[in-house]
Amino acid sequence: MSITIAVPKETANGEKRVAVVPSVLKQFTKLGVEVRIQRGAGESAGFPDELYEGVSWADDQAALYKDADVVLRVEPPSADEAGKLPEKSLLLGFLTPHEGDTRIRNLNKRRVTSFALELVPRITRAQGIDALSSQANIAGYKCALLASHLSPKLFPMLTTAAGTVRPARVVVVGAGVAGLQAIATAKRLGAIVEAYDVRSATREQVESLGGKFIDTGVSAEGEGGYARELTDEEKAQQAEVLARHIAQADAVVTTASIPGRPAPTIIDRATVERMKAGAVIVDMAAETGGNCELTEAGKEITHQGVIIAGPRHIPSMAATHASEMYARNLVNLLGLIIKDGEIHLDWDDQVLADSCLTHDGETRHAPTRERMEGDK
Protein backbone atom coordinates (compact mmCIF):
# COMPACT_ATOMS: atom_id res chain seq x y z
CA MET A 1 0.00 0.00 0.00
CA SER A 2 1.44 3.37 -1.01
CA ILE A 3 2.04 6.23 1.38
CA THR A 4 -0.79 8.75 1.63
CA ILE A 5 0.11 12.40 2.09
CA ALA A 6 -2.64 14.67 3.45
CA VAL A 7 -2.75 18.41 2.78
CA PRO A 8 -5.30 20.34 4.87
CA LYS A 9 -6.72 23.77 4.24
CA GLU A 10 -4.95 26.18 6.60
CA THR A 11 -7.18 27.32 9.46
CA ALA A 12 -5.16 30.19 10.99
CA ASN A 13 -6.89 33.52 10.50
CA GLY A 14 -5.15 35.42 7.70
CA GLU A 15 -3.09 32.47 6.46
CA LYS A 16 -3.44 32.13 2.66
CA ARG A 17 -0.60 29.77 1.83
CA VAL A 18 -0.92 26.09 1.00
CA ALA A 19 1.64 23.35 1.61
CA VAL A 20 1.40 21.73 -1.84
CA VAL A 21 1.05 23.45 -5.22
CA PRO A 22 0.26 21.85 -8.59
CA SER A 23 3.79 22.29 -9.96
CA VAL A 24 5.32 19.86 -7.43
CA LEU A 25 2.86 17.00 -7.92
CA LYS A 26 5.15 15.25 -10.40
CA GLN A 27 7.83 15.10 -7.72
CA PHE A 28 5.39 13.38 -5.35
CA THR A 29 4.72 10.83 -8.08
CA LYS A 30 8.46 10.14 -8.30
CA LEU A 31 8.48 9.53 -4.54
CA GLY A 32 5.79 6.88 -5.05
CA VAL A 33 3.17 8.49 -2.83
CA GLU A 34 -0.48 9.42 -3.16
CA VAL A 35 -1.63 12.96 -2.40
CA ARG A 36 -4.98 13.75 -0.77
CA ILE A 37 -6.03 17.39 -0.48
CA GLN A 38 -8.84 19.09 1.41
CA ARG A 39 -11.09 20.91 -1.04
CA GLY A 40 -10.34 24.61 -1.36
CA ALA A 41 -6.90 24.29 0.28
CA GLY A 42 -5.11 26.21 -2.48
CA GLU A 43 -7.74 28.74 -3.50
CA SER A 44 -6.48 31.61 -1.33
CA ALA A 45 -3.00 31.14 -2.77
CA GLY A 46 -4.27 31.26 -6.36
CA PHE A 47 -4.49 27.50 -6.93
CA PRO A 48 -8.11 26.39 -7.47
CA ASP A 49 -8.96 22.71 -7.13
CA GLU A 50 -9.08 22.08 -10.88
CA LEU A 51 -5.34 22.77 -11.20
CA TYR A 52 -4.47 19.77 -9.03
CA GLU A 53 -4.34 16.74 -11.30
CA GLY A 54 -4.01 13.15 -10.15
CA VAL A 55 -4.87 13.77 -6.49
CA SER A 56 -7.74 12.54 -4.35
CA TRP A 57 -10.03 14.92 -2.47
CA ALA A 58 -11.53 15.21 0.99
CA ASP A 59 -14.43 17.44 2.01
CA ASP A 60 -13.33 17.80 5.63
CA GLN A 61 -10.40 17.05 7.93
CA ALA A 62 -11.91 13.81 9.24
CA ALA A 63 -11.96 12.37 5.73
CA LEU A 64 -8.59 13.92 4.92
CA TYR A 65 -6.77 12.33 7.85
CA LYS A 66 -8.33 8.87 7.58
CA ASP A 67 -5.43 6.40 7.20
CA ALA A 68 -3.05 9.22 6.20
CA ASP A 69 0.66 8.56 6.74
CA VAL A 70 2.06 12.08 6.35
CA VAL A 71 0.46 15.50 6.97
CA LEU A 72 1.92 18.60 5.32
CA ARG A 73 1.01 22.00 6.74
CA VAL A 74 2.15 25.61 6.67
CA GLU A 75 1.09 26.83 10.11
CA PRO A 76 1.06 24.54 13.17
CA PRO A 77 -2.22 22.74 13.92
CA SER A 78 -4.32 23.95 16.82
CA ALA A 79 -4.13 21.91 20.00
CA ASP A 80 -7.47 20.33 19.08
CA GLU A 81 -6.32 19.50 15.55
CA ALA A 82 -3.09 18.00 16.89
CA GLY A 83 -5.16 15.63 19.00
CA LYS A 84 -6.98 14.38 15.90
CA LEU A 85 -3.99 13.64 13.69
CA PRO A 86 -3.58 10.02 12.59
CA GLU A 87 -1.76 7.99 15.23
CA LYS A 88 1.93 7.44 14.46
CA SER A 89 1.72 9.69 11.40
CA LEU A 90 4.35 12.21 10.30
CA LEU A 91 3.74 15.96 10.46
CA LEU A 92 5.88 18.47 8.54
CA GLY A 93 5.51 22.24 8.79
CA PHE A 94 6.20 25.32 10.87
CA LEU A 95 5.44 24.20 14.44
CA THR A 96 6.56 27.14 16.67
CA PRO A 97 8.35 24.93 19.23
CA HIS A 98 8.86 27.89 21.58
CA GLU A 99 5.15 27.88 22.42
CA GLY A 100 2.01 25.75 22.22
CA ASP A 101 2.81 23.19 24.90
CA THR A 102 -0.71 21.68 24.80
CA ARG A 103 -0.35 21.13 21.07
CA ILE A 104 3.02 19.43 21.56
CA ARG A 105 1.63 17.20 24.31
CA ASN A 106 -1.22 16.18 22.02
CA LEU A 107 1.27 15.31 19.29
CA ASN A 108 3.01 13.07 21.79
CA LYS A 109 -0.26 11.47 22.86
CA ARG A 110 -0.91 10.57 19.22
CA ARG A 111 2.73 9.40 18.89
CA VAL A 112 3.15 11.75 15.93
CA THR A 113 6.64 12.20 14.51
CA SER A 114 6.80 15.92 13.78
CA PHE A 115 9.46 17.89 11.94
CA ALA A 116 9.57 21.64 12.59
CA LEU A 117 10.94 23.57 9.64
CA GLU A 118 12.15 26.27 12.04
CA LEU A 119 14.66 23.74 13.36
CA VAL A 120 16.23 22.72 10.05
CA PRO A 121 20.00 23.26 10.49
CA ARG A 122 21.72 25.99 8.51
CA ILE A 123 24.07 23.68 6.61
CA THR A 124 24.83 23.54 2.91
CA ARG A 125 22.97 20.33 2.14
CA ALA A 126 19.81 21.65 3.82
CA GLN A 127 19.57 24.87 1.81
CA GLY A 128 16.81 23.47 -0.38
CA ILE A 129 14.81 22.63 2.76
CA ASP A 130 15.37 25.97 4.52
CA ALA A 131 11.81 27.31 4.59
CA LEU A 132 12.76 30.05 7.04
CA SER A 133 14.98 31.57 4.35
CA SER A 134 12.55 31.08 1.47
CA GLN A 135 9.75 32.76 3.40
CA ALA A 136 12.03 35.41 4.93
CA ASN A 137 12.90 36.68 1.46
CA ILE A 138 9.25 37.43 0.87
CA ALA A 139 8.74 38.86 4.35
CA GLY A 140 11.65 41.28 3.99
CA TYR A 141 10.34 42.50 0.65
CA LYS A 142 6.80 42.96 1.91
CA CYS A 143 7.86 44.71 5.14
CA ALA A 144 9.82 47.30 3.18
CA LEU A 145 6.77 47.91 0.99
CA LEU A 146 4.54 48.13 4.06
CA ALA A 147 6.85 50.71 5.64
CA SER A 148 6.64 52.77 2.45
CA HIS A 149 2.86 52.43 2.40
CA LEU A 150 2.40 53.48 6.04
CA SER A 151 4.88 56.35 5.97
CA PRO A 152 3.46 59.83 5.35
CA LYS A 153 6.67 60.55 3.42
CA LEU A 154 7.80 59.44 -0.01
CA PHE A 155 10.81 57.12 -0.05
CA PRO A 156 12.60 58.48 -3.18
CA MET A 157 14.00 61.95 -3.78
CA LEU A 158 11.84 63.87 -6.21
CA THR A 159 12.77 67.06 -8.02
CA THR A 160 9.65 68.87 -9.19
CA ALA A 161 8.48 72.33 -10.16
CA ALA A 162 7.09 72.57 -6.64
CA GLY A 163 10.50 71.92 -5.11
CA THR A 164 12.70 69.02 -4.11
CA VAL A 165 11.47 66.21 -1.87
CA ARG A 166 14.22 64.71 0.25
CA PRO A 167 14.50 60.89 0.32
CA ALA A 168 13.29 59.04 3.40
CA ARG A 169 15.75 57.58 5.88
CA VAL A 170 15.19 53.89 6.58
CA VAL A 171 16.87 51.79 9.26
CA VAL A 172 16.81 48.00 8.92
CA VAL A 173 17.64 46.02 12.06
CA GLY A 174 18.99 42.57 11.31
CA ALA A 175 20.95 41.67 8.18
CA GLY A 176 19.88 38.10 7.68
CA VAL A 177 17.90 36.94 4.65
CA ALA A 178 14.86 39.09 5.47
CA GLY A 179 16.91 42.12 6.44
CA LEU A 180 19.01 42.03 3.29
CA GLN A 181 15.87 41.80 1.16
CA ALA A 182 14.35 44.73 3.07
CA ILE A 183 17.52 46.76 2.46
CA ALA A 184 17.50 45.96 -1.25
CA THR A 185 13.81 46.79 -1.59
CA ALA A 186 14.03 50.07 0.33
CA LYS A 187 17.00 51.08 -1.84
CA ARG A 188 15.07 50.27 -5.00
CA LEU A 189 12.29 52.50 -3.69
CA GLY A 190 14.83 55.32 -3.44
CA ALA A 191 15.36 55.61 0.32
CA ILE A 192 18.60 56.27 2.17
CA VAL A 193 19.17 52.99 4.02
CA GLU A 194 21.16 52.22 7.14
CA ALA A 195 21.33 48.75 8.64
CA TYR A 196 22.57 47.06 11.77
CA ASP A 197 23.35 43.50 12.73
CA VAL A 198 25.06 42.19 15.85
CA ARG A 199 27.44 40.34 13.53
CA SER A 200 29.93 42.83 12.11
CA ALA A 201 30.73 40.31 9.36
CA THR A 202 27.48 41.34 7.65
CA ARG A 203 28.86 44.83 6.92
CA GLU A 204 30.08 43.80 3.47
CA GLN A 205 26.67 42.37 2.53
CA VAL A 206 24.88 45.51 3.69
CA GLU A 207 27.24 47.78 1.78
CA SER A 208 27.02 45.64 -1.37
CA LEU A 209 23.32 46.47 -1.48
CA GLY A 210 23.93 50.18 -1.12
CA GLY A 211 23.20 50.40 2.59
CA LYS A 212 25.33 52.05 5.27
CA PHE A 213 26.32 49.78 8.14
CA ILE A 214 25.71 51.20 11.61
CA ASP A 215 28.87 50.75 13.66
CA THR A 216 28.08 50.65 17.37
CA GLY A 217 31.71 50.18 18.35
CA VAL A 218 30.90 46.78 19.79
CA SER A 219 31.98 43.52 18.18
CA ALA A 220 29.98 40.42 19.07
CA GLU A 221 32.08 38.01 17.04
CA GLY A 222 32.80 34.82 18.94
CA GLU A 223 34.34 31.46 18.19
CA GLY A 224 33.14 29.55 15.14
CA GLY A 225 31.46 32.60 13.63
CA TYR A 226 28.78 32.77 16.31
CA ALA A 227 27.92 35.91 18.28
CA ARG A 228 29.20 35.91 21.83
CA GLU A 229 27.29 37.16 24.84
CA LEU A 230 27.84 40.89 25.37
CA THR A 231 28.74 42.45 28.68
CA ASP A 232 26.20 44.79 30.27
CA GLU A 233 28.37 47.78 29.33
CA GLU A 234 28.58 46.63 25.71
CA LYS A 235 24.83 46.08 25.57
CA ALA A 236 24.22 49.61 26.86
CA GLN A 237 26.64 51.13 24.34
CA GLN A 238 25.13 49.15 21.48
CA ALA A 239 21.58 50.12 22.46
CA GLU A 240 22.39 53.83 22.75
CA VAL A 241 24.13 54.09 19.37
CA LEU A 242 21.37 52.17 17.64
CA ALA A 243 18.69 54.25 19.39
CA ARG A 244 20.23 57.47 18.01
CA HIS A 245 19.96 56.20 14.45
CA ILE A 246 16.42 54.91 14.98
CA ALA A 247 15.37 58.27 16.43
CA GLN A 248 16.42 60.00 13.18
CA ALA A 249 14.71 57.49 10.89
CA ASP A 250 11.50 57.98 8.94
CA ALA A 251 10.94 54.23 8.85
CA VAL A 252 12.39 51.25 10.70
CA VAL A 253 12.08 47.61 9.66
CA THR A 254 13.07 45.08 12.33
CA THR A 255 13.83 41.51 11.28
CA ALA A 256 15.72 40.02 14.23
CA SER A 257 14.52 36.55 15.16
CA ILE A 258 15.85 33.38 16.76
CA PRO A 259 14.40 30.16 15.30
CA GLY A 260 12.32 28.30 17.85
CA ARG A 261 12.60 31.07 20.48
CA PRO A 262 10.89 34.40 21.29
CA ALA A 263 12.19 37.39 19.35
CA PRO A 264 14.69 39.69 21.12
CA THR A 265 13.46 43.12 22.20
CA ILE A 266 15.60 45.74 20.45
CA ILE A 267 13.48 48.92 20.48
CA ASP A 268 12.14 49.91 23.90
CA ARG A 269 9.45 52.42 24.74
CA ALA A 270 11.99 55.18 25.44
CA THR A 271 13.49 54.79 21.95
CA VAL A 272 10.05 54.95 20.33
CA GLU A 273 9.33 58.15 22.24
CA ARG A 274 12.54 59.67 20.83
CA MET A 275 11.31 59.13 17.27
CA LYS A 276 9.65 61.91 15.30
CA ALA A 277 5.92 62.06 14.69
CA GLY A 278 4.97 60.23 11.49
CA ALA A 279 7.83 57.75 11.77
CA VAL A 280 6.99 54.10 11.12
CA ILE A 281 8.16 50.84 12.68
CA VAL A 282 7.35 47.60 10.87
CA ASP A 283 8.11 44.70 13.20
CA MET A 284 8.58 41.52 11.19
CA ALA A 285 9.01 39.51 14.40
CA ALA A 286 5.58 40.42 15.80
CA GLU A 287 4.34 36.83 15.78
CA THR A 288 7.13 35.69 18.09
CA GLY A 289 6.93 38.57 20.57
CA GLY A 290 8.28 41.43 18.50
CA ASN A 291 11.53 43.40 18.33
CA CYS A 292 9.74 46.50 19.61
CA GLU A 293 8.45 46.63 23.18
CA LEU A 294 5.18 48.23 22.04
CA THR A 295 4.39 45.92 19.11
CA GLU A 296 0.99 44.23 19.10
CA ALA A 297 0.83 41.24 16.77
CA GLY A 298 -1.72 41.65 14.02
CA LYS A 299 -2.30 45.34 14.75
CA GLU A 300 -1.18 48.81 13.71
CA ILE A 301 -1.00 51.17 16.65
CA THR A 302 0.18 54.75 17.10
CA HIS A 303 2.26 55.78 20.10
CA GLN A 304 3.04 59.47 20.44
CA GLY A 305 2.74 59.92 16.69
CA VAL A 306 4.84 56.86 15.78
CA ILE A 307 3.08 54.14 13.77
CA ILE A 308 3.98 50.62 14.90
CA ALA A 309 2.86 47.75 12.67
CA GLY A 310 3.01 44.13 13.80
CA PRO A 311 1.89 42.21 10.70
CA ARG A 312 1.10 38.51 10.92
CA HIS A 313 1.47 35.87 8.19
CA ILE A 314 3.62 38.24 6.15
CA PRO A 315 4.56 35.71 3.43
CA SER A 316 0.82 35.24 2.85
CA MET A 317 0.83 38.73 1.36
CA ALA A 318 2.47 37.04 -1.64
CA ALA A 319 0.77 33.69 -1.14
CA THR A 320 1.30 32.32 -4.65
CA HIS A 321 5.08 32.58 -4.74
CA ALA A 322 5.39 31.87 -1.01
CA SER A 323 3.46 28.61 -1.45
CA GLU A 324 5.52 27.59 -4.47
CA MET A 325 8.79 28.01 -2.59
CA TYR A 326 7.47 26.41 0.58
CA ALA A 327 6.13 23.39 -1.33
CA ARG A 328 9.57 22.82 -2.84
CA ASN A 329 11.11 22.99 0.65
CA LEU A 330 8.72 20.26 1.80
CA VAL A 331 9.38 18.05 -1.22
CA ASN A 332 13.11 18.27 -0.58
CA LEU A 333 12.62 17.31 3.07
CA LEU A 334 10.38 14.40 2.11
CA GLY A 335 13.15 13.22 -0.20
CA LEU A 336 15.21 12.49 2.92
CA ILE A 337 12.35 10.61 4.57
CA ILE A 338 10.73 8.56 1.80
CA LYS A 339 12.94 5.99 0.09
CA ASP A 340 11.63 3.53 -2.50
CA GLY A 341 8.05 4.40 -1.60
CA GLU A 342 8.54 3.75 2.13
CA ILE A 343 9.13 5.94 5.16
CA HIS A 344 12.69 5.61 6.40
CA LEU A 345 13.81 7.78 9.32
CA ASP A 346 17.60 7.96 9.44
CA TRP A 347 18.42 9.53 12.78
CA ASP A 348 22.08 9.75 11.78
CA ASP A 349 21.01 12.39 9.24
CA GLN A 350 21.63 15.77 10.88
CA VAL A 351 18.74 17.41 9.05
CA LEU A 352 16.20 14.91 10.38
CA ALA A 353 17.74 14.65 13.85
CA ASP A 354 17.91 18.42 14.38
CA SER A 355 14.49 19.27 12.95
CA CYS A 356 12.53 16.55 14.78
CA LEU A 357 10.27 18.02 17.46
CA THR A 358 8.39 14.91 18.62
CA HIS A 359 8.76 11.18 18.01
CA ASP A 360 7.24 8.05 19.49
CA GLY A 361 5.51 9.91 22.30
CA GLU A 362 8.52 11.99 23.36
CA THR A 363 9.67 15.56 22.76
CA ARG A 364 13.05 15.16 21.05
CA HIS A 365 13.96 18.84 20.69
CA ALA A 366 15.98 19.43 23.87
CA PRO A 367 15.20 23.15 24.49
CA THR A 368 11.47 22.50 24.05
CA ARG A 369 11.59 19.44 26.29
CA GLU A 370 13.47 21.31 29.01
CA ARG A 371 11.06 24.25 28.87
CA MET A 372 8.03 22.01 29.11
CA GLU A 373 9.51 20.06 32.01
CA GLY A 374 10.26 23.33 33.79
CA ASP A 375 6.64 24.47 33.34
CA LYS A 376 5.20 21.43 35.10
Side-chain angles (χ1 to χ4, degrees):
M1 184 178 294
S2 64
I3 295 170
T4 298
I5 291 180
V7 183
K9 183 175 182 178
E10 296 296 320
T11 55
N13 186 33
E15 181 55 74
K16 297 179 181 179
R17 290 171 291 178
V18 64
V20 171
V21 299
S23 61
V24 301
L25 291 177
K26 289 183 179 179
Q27 290 166 273
F28 282 107
T29 301
K30 291 179 181 178
L31 289 174
V33 302
E34 294 182 1
V35 178
R36 183 190 301 157
I37 303 178
Q38 186 174 353
R39 292 193 183 278
E43 288 182 359
S44 295
F47 304 106
D49 291 352
E50 57 265 25
L51 294 182
Y52 291 89
E53 298 180 355
V55 304
S56 58
W57 295 97
D59 292 323
D60 53 39
Q61 284 195 355
L64 178 73
Y65 291 151
K66 183 176 175 57
D67 300 323
D69 301 291
V70 182
V71 177
L72 303 182
R73 296 189 63 101
V74 179
E75 294 283 339
S78 66
D80 182 62
E81 289 174 313
K84 297 178 181 177
L85 290 173
E87 192 168 2
K88 295 185 178 181
S89 62
L90 270 62
L91 171 65
L92 282 64
F94 286 121
L95 299 178
T96 59
H98 66 283
E99 63 178 10
D101 291 2
T102 302
R103 173 177 61 248
I104 296 171
R105 291 190 184 97
N106 284 347
L107 291 177
N108 283 329
K109 288 177 182 177
R110 301 294 293 172
R111 306 182 79 81
V112 171
T113 297
S114 60
F115 293 94
L117 292 180
E118 300 97 322
L119 303 179
V120 170
R122 295 291 180 92
I123 58 177
T124 301
R125 61 183 290 266
Q127 287 180 347
I129 303 168
D130 188 358
L132 280 179
S133 292
S134 74
Q135 304 303 290
N137 254 312
I138 294 172
Y141 171 78
K142 282 296 186 179
C143 281
L145 294 183
L146 181 57
S148 174
H149 172 70
L150 292 175
S151 176
K153 294 187 176 182
L154 297 172
F155 270 28
M157 182 178 74
L158 297 179
T159 301
T160 75
T164 299
V165 176
R166 293 178 179 274
R169 301 186 70 86
V170 176
V171 170
V172 177
V173 179
V177 174
L180 293 174
Q181 185 59 252
I183 293 166
T185 303
K187 283 295 294 183
R188 287 196 294 268
L189 291 173
I192 296 172
V193 182
E194 296 181 303
Y196 172 73
D197 194 287
V198 69
R199 302 159 298 165
S200 59
T202 60
R203 176 192 290 268
E204 184 177 343
Q205 293 172 299
V206 169
E207 293 176 346
S208 72
L209 294 172
K212 180 181 178 181
F213 190 81
I214 298 172
D215 189 352
T216 63
V218 176
S219 175
E221 303 298 334
E223 295 182 2
Y226 293 97
R228 65 174 174 82
E229 182 70 22
L230 301 181
T231 65
D232 290 341
E233 291 80 6
E234 288 174 327
K235 288 179 181 178
Q237 178 182 339
Q238 176 184 267
E240 175 54 29
V241 174
L242 187 56
R244 288 203 301 268
H245 287 265
I246 290 173
Q248 298 169 4
D250 298 302
V252 179
V253 177
T254 66
T255 70
S257 63
I258 305 171
R261 293 172 57 187
T265 300
I266 296 171
I267 303 176
D268 59 13
R269 176 188 293 266
T271 301
V272 173
E273 293 176 352
R274 290 173 61 179
M275 298 175 72
K276 50 195 168 187
V280 173
I281 297 172
V282 177
D283 192 339
M284 201 189 86
E287 289 180 294
T288 54
N291 295 144
C292 176
E293 180 183 348
L294 302 179
T295 297
E296 295 183 29
K299 296 182 180 179
E300 291 174 11
I301 65 169
T302 301
H303 181 79
Q304 295 190 6
V306 178
I307 302 167
I308 305 170
R312 300 176 68 99
H313 311 299
I314 304 169
S316 280
M317 297 177 185
T320 298
H321 285 150
S323 297
E324 289 175 345
M325 289 191 281
Y326 184 76
R328 288 194 287 270
N329 294 143
L330 288 178
V331 168
N332 291 335
L333 179 54
L334 280 172
L336 301 181
I337 296 172
I338 299 176
K339 306 290 185 181
D340 299 321
E342 295 183 359
I343 293 173
H344 176 68
L345 299 177
D346 179 6
W347 298 118
D348 291 327
D349 187 320
Q350 183 184 354
V351 176
L352 297 185
D354 288 5
S355 62
C356 184
L357 177 60
T358 63
H359 174 66
D360 199 26
E362 297 181 351
T363 302
R364 286 181 62 108
H365 181 236
T368 300
R369 182 176 64 249
E370 292 165 5
R371 187 199 71 243
M372 293 176 66
E373 289 175 350
D375 291 342
K376 288 182 180 179

